[in-house]
Amino acid sequence: MTGTSFKIAIIGSGPSGCFAAQFLRKAWKDAEITIFEALPVPYGLVRYGVAPDHQGSKSVTAQFARLFEREGVRFAGNVTIGEDLTFEDLAAAFDIIVPATGLGCDRRLPVEAHPDCPVIGAGALIRALNGHPDMALPAHADGLPRPLGARVAVVGNGNVAMDVVRLLAKPLDQFGGSDIDDTRLAALRRRGVARIDVFGRSPIGAAKFDLSMFKEILGLANVRVSQSGTAACPPCDALEALSAAEARSANGALSIHFHFGAQPIALLHGPHGPLLSVETGDGIASHEVDSVITALGFHDSRPSGHPCSAQSWSGAQVFPVGWLQNGGKGTIAANRKSAKETAGEIAAAAKDRHLVPAAPGFAAVADRIADTLVDYEGWCRIDAHERATCAPGRPRLKLTDRAEMLAVARALPRDADGTDRPHAAH
Amino acid sequence: MTKILFGTESGNSEMAADDIADFLNDNGGEAEVVAMEDYDVADLAAEGFAVVITSTYGEGELPETTQPFYDALKESRPDLSGLRFAAFGLGDSTYETYGNGIDIVAALLAELGAVQVGETGRHDAAKTVTLTDAATGWAEGLQPTLAA
Ligand SMILES: Cc1cc2nc3c(=O)[nH]c(=O)nc-3n(C[C@H](O)[C@H](O)[C@H](O)COP(=O)(O)OP(=O)(O)OC[C@H]3O[C@@H](n4cnc5c(N)ncnc54)[C@H](O)[C@@H]3O)c2cc1C
Ligand SMILES: Cc1cc2nc3c(=O)[nH]c(=O)nc-3n(C[C@H](O)[C@H](O)[C@H](O)COP(=O)(O)O)c2cc1C
């Protein structure tokens, strides 16, 4: 019985995909809605972007869980569109397609690589600290990330940059209520981060961070704050908070220096090691660094034409949402707003009969993904496992190994000590 | 029909509104959820009883979809002396201005003559109590007051 209700495929289970499902469900009680997700676990950057010590911001997942538990939305996890199914497969099976794949890649700083000073994207760093299964940081043979060293430069002045500074500065014993990957955090900070230089292009009054994010750093008991580049700036809330922190924090063991109106231009070989060369209104200065972390926004890592690149997913039935659609701007709430607008456009297109229910829906692709699929029950098993295995006070201990995630999702037999049998992983 | 009015940015207040409506409807009431952005404040004086729900944003400010509702009330200043209301607020105690949003809205309703019933309910996103538990627990506590 096709042709009676819309069959909708949403690609990506981050906030924009989940909010789109919410609004489409409100528009059509009877639509068949499937959310395809490349990972075996849902929620995109809510799980792997939002900082692990900001659990309050992760609590939107309760809304999204309701979609799968009560609203009849299907979770089709561990299915990458472009690999496990092609976009063309989806286009044939569904009436409406909503790409919500986000932007997976950190925007790079245009400096030449340096053998002794890794340049790491903030998204990759926070993904690792959020326990992502594909860790993309410079690593030792044992899989643990290399220490960042004592002197870390953070480039960028948005909220993601502030997340990085806080995660690297806050005492290790103050991550109590978080679900941070303690092992990776300790490995990254093993040499002891002693100094963080934060470089922002704008003057302080135009810096993109939220004041509350900035104040959270200024309020850390163990830091000594200093700054440059604000002499000519008119008073603003951020400057007031910074000046107050500067005055009271002289004894902190970890030094954080905020450079405003400062743009890194090159990574050089200095006599004692790597030097980050930075241009300011006063000329060019060099800073000794052991690692550079860039928080300069995000882009699509895949060239257009790549089967997984959403750039090549187009047609009258295709309605992109979220970071993919807007170039990586905005908070979780902004995605709700844009998903609402897009759902409105979809409903209007249906009203004008530009979209007509005719496609067979999920049943037409089910067989092809039966072997890889992790459904909502599978995710619930991972979720329960993560909640059961964490230390007291922690919300969860994330599984970081894909094979283990799949074994738990499929409830494959596990040895008494809790580890997987080698053959059970696939 | 009890109107449950919510203002939100990331949808949590809407979920709280749904939960409170479900609870009231399951317990002999008749409740309907309406977004503040879709609500005409001229209708408020005649509601008799309403539940208002909002989160907090910025530095203790109202979320984007509560602000127009608040501004419209402030502008038109209806006589709300015939209205009773209950209030539930969402926030995050890691912010200095925890849960300010609902206090701002409740204060304006009171200023316009409305009478608040029960305690202002609260959900703290930084704590482990789920939103559903906080919202339905509050609605349960509210019931005797409503019946009185
Ligand atoms: C470090 C960091 C911290 C942040 N902190 C906050 C915060 O505290 N508060 C806040 O409001 N916002 C925060 N944000 C912003 C917020 O995360 C984004 O606004 C939001 O996640 C974007 O949603 P999205 O659904 O468009 O993309 P994403 O959340 O990236 O979701 C995309 C999903 O699509 C999946 N996918 C990709 N390609 C495919 C494919 N081919 N097939 C199937 N699935 C695919 C991905 O695996 C992913 O799950 C933060 C962002 C970052 C990077
Ligand atoms: C940018 C931002 C600012 C916030 N500011 C505050 C605040 O000042 N006080 C507070 O109690 N909560 C604050 N919060 C937390 C929200 O109120 C909380 O997450 C709430 O559950 C959101 O509900 P909503 O989805 O209905 O908007 C803030 C959240 C964000 C993302």
Side-chain angles (χ1 to χ4, degrees), chain A residues 25-38:
Chain A
R25 173 54 82 221
K26 275 184 206 154
W28 291 302
K29 285 277 155 274
D30 60 346
E32 182 201 283
I33 305 176
T34 304
I35 302 185
F36 291 94
E37 168 57 55

Side-chain angles (χ1 to χ4, degrees), chain A residues 371-388:
Chain A
D371 290 345
T372 104
L373 181 76
V374 171
D375 62 9
Y376 188 70
E377 279 66 47
W379 151 243
C380 287
R381 281 191 280 273
I382 295 178
D383 187 36
H385 178 91
E386 290 183 342
R387 290 176 190 277

